[in-house]
Amino acid sequence: MITFRMKSRVQTKRKMPAGLMQEKKRTLARAKKLVQILRRKLAMRQLTKVLKERVKKRENAFQSRPFAQSAYEVNVNATTIGGLNVTGAVYAWSENPLRVGSVDGAAIGKSTGKCTLLPGEQMWMCSGIFKISNQDTITTMGLSPNNQERGSLAVTGGTGCYQNVNGTIYITSQGETSESFLLEYQASNADEACSIQDLVGEGLSEANVGGKTIGDYETVGSKDLWAGNILTDSSGAQIGLSYGDCTLLPGVAAFMCIGEWALDSGDIVTYAGYSPNSMNPGHIAVTGGTGCYAGASGTLLLKAANEEYSSYDWNYQPKPEAETCFSLVDTLGGHLIYESSSGSIVIGDYETPGSMDIWFNNSM
């Protein structure tokens, strides 16, 4: 008998050089990170699509309500601090009834807000809240003429089923003493949304031709108001006018501001934020607008162009990459957040209309 002895086919595994092993690990780590980024982007796209569909449904629901056509605000709880022809005067109201169709129509909610009379005494800078009967709210901001003409308020958002709503509410005073106001809602009819980044472009310049200070730059509660400041783009062409209202906060380090750009196109852009009481730039949030700027958002940098404050520079700040940002839920963590009142000051008291409770840098 012949016996065959077979050689073992088991091979000895050669070790990979340490340098190649590290490079392989780095490559795998990069690939893994890339996959995670792609998954996040895909998830963000899907989330964006879902949110857009939800916003559209909310807008449709908003327009289908009686208030979407017309409503009347019965002016029974309003007061004026100052005078109807005095720059810096304040017109404030609380829980004015909102009624459908006429001043005697069915109640659908209440209106609360405040307006400040701007230099020239032609325009009021206003912000307000409509509280609908189901306790949801709609927020507005914009200019209202100091006469019987119709004003345009940008719908800047809301709560509950009115989250992310936008559009325009036209307001017209009824009667010589403004016993009521006619409110008419109009959704944006623009074919496509306009870009704040495209509007600002390489920067806007605002000539401070309509500014006035009530008080000074060292007294808390002082006002910096402006009306009809000229907005020009980087080529020097005028694109609109600027209006706004700033209040000096405790510590006199910064102003709290709201404002509007009334563009030559007929649309408006509203904004809010704080501006340092210095030459340093302030970060301003775009809160909304009308027309193709309905629902607009973004960050603007505002800086005085010179020490005389005769002009200001506006620039657009792009949003950081999605992976570096956190949602509001992530920021607050789903917990109650406590804010100290260490930086608060009350000007007036809690029983006089027009009194102000203002704060700056309260710790959270």
Side-chain angles (χ1 to χ4, degrees):
M1 179 183 289
I2 301 175
T3 304
F4 295 94
R5 181 175 293 179
M6 298 183 67
K7 293 183 179 180
S8 174
R9 302 183 62 87
V10 178
Q11 297 181 355
T12 304
K13 191 174 182 181
R14 290 187 294 176
K15 292 183 66 177
M16 183 180 292
L20 289 177
M21 179 64 75
Q22 291 177 354
E23 180 62 28
K24 182 179 180 181
K25 289 181 178 179
R26 284 194 292 267
T27 301
L28 290 173
R30 284 195 294 266
K32 188 175 181 180
K33 187 174 182 180
L34 180 60
V35 170
Q36 291 175 341
I37 292 174
L38 291 174
R39 285 177 176 172
R40 287 179 187 171
K41 288 185 176 180
L42 180 59
M44 285 298 295
R45 287 177 183 172
Q46 293 174 336
L47 178 61
T48 300
K49 183 178 179 181
V50 170
L51 289 176
K52 284 183 177 179
E53 291 175 351
R54 288 181 180 176
V55 168
K56 194 65 179 176
K57 287 180 180 179
R58 285 167 181 159
E59 288 177 350
N60 292 338
F62 182 58
Q63 295 175 53
S64 66
R65 291 172 181 259
F67 178 67
Q69 304 306 317
S70 65
Y72 282 83
E73 177 180 334
V74 185
N75 195 20
V76 294
N77 297 313
T79 187
T80 303
I81 300 96
L84 295 178
N85 294 299
V86 179
T87 298
V90 173
Y91 181 75
W93 64 99
S94 177
E95 299 198 334
N96 279 348
L98 291 173
R99 299 187 178 277
V100 178
S102 72
V103 294
D104 299 317
I108 59 168
K110 296 179 179 180
S111 172
T112 298
K114 176 182 78 73
C115 297
T116 301
L117 190 57
L118 301 179
E121 295 80 46
Q122 299 297 311
M123 289 288 182
W124 297 86
M125 186 71 230
C126 305
S127 59
I129 296 175
F130 297 120
K131 183 168 69 174
I132 309 305
S133 54
N134 60 3
Q135 301 304 309
D136 292 341
T137 61
I138 302 164
T139 57
T140 62
M141 186 184 298
L143 295 174
S144 180
N146 191 20
N147 51 37
Q148 302 297 114
E149 295 180 7
R150 187 170 73 165
S152 301
L153 303 177
V155 177
T156 56
T159 62
C161 66
Y162 295 110
Q163 292 180 50
N164 301 316
V165 294
N166 56 59
T168 308
I169 290 181
Y170 295 104
I171 178 170
T172 308
S173 175
Q174 306 291 291
E176 294 184 0
T177 57
S178 301
E179 297 93 352
S180 63
F181 298 93
L182 171 63
L183 306 174
E184 301 168 286
Y185 173 76
Q186 178 179 307
S188 173
N189 55 7
D191 293 332
E192 59 182 36
C194 292
S195 164
I196 295 296
Q197 185 171 5
D198 291 342
L199 174 66
V200 176
E202 296 180 6
L204 301 179
S205 177
E206 178 177 333
N208 189 20
V209 297
K212 185 173 182 178
T213 301
I214 310 296
D216 54 53
Y217 291 102
E218 298 179 354
T219 303
V220 175
S222 293
K223 289 280 193 178
D224 195 4
L225 309 172
W226 63 98
N229 282 356
I230 300 173
L231 278 175
T232 55
D233 62 19
S234 57
S235 71
Q238 180 174 326
I239 65 166
L241 301 176
S242 177
Y243 300 81
D245 169 11
C246 291
T247 302
L248 189 56
L249 301 176
V252 299
F255 287 88
M256 187 67 210
C257 305
I258 63 172
E260 172 186 307
W261 291 343
L263 303 176
D264 290 346
S265 64
D267 296 333
I268 68 176
V269 173
T270 58
Y271 58 85
Y274 82 93
S275 178
N277 187 13
S278 67
M279 295 289 291
N280 295 325
H283 291 74
I284 308 295
V286 176
T287 57
T290 64
C292 67
Y293 293 101
S297 63
T299 304
L300 301 170
L301 295 180
L302 171 63
K303 186 180 185 299
N306 52 55
E307 294 183 356
E308 292 75 32
Y309 296 93
S310 61
S311 64
Y312 296 87
D313 293 328
W314 292 90
N315 287 283
Y316 180 82
Q317 184 176 40
K319 184 178 180 179
E321 293 296 328
E323 48 263 28
T324 67
C325 294
F326 296 94
S327 69
L328 189 58
V329 173
D330 292 333
T331 302
L332 299 181
H335 303 292
L336 290 174
I337 304 298
Y338 293 91
E339 176 182 338
S340 75
S341 58
S342 57
S344 301
I345 289 180
V346 176
I347 298 176
D349 54 52
Y350 291 105
E351 298 179 354
T352 304
S355 295
M356 291 190 292
D357 189 356
I358 53 181
W359 61 96
F360 181 69
N361 275 353
N362 278 357
S363 60
M364 298 180 71

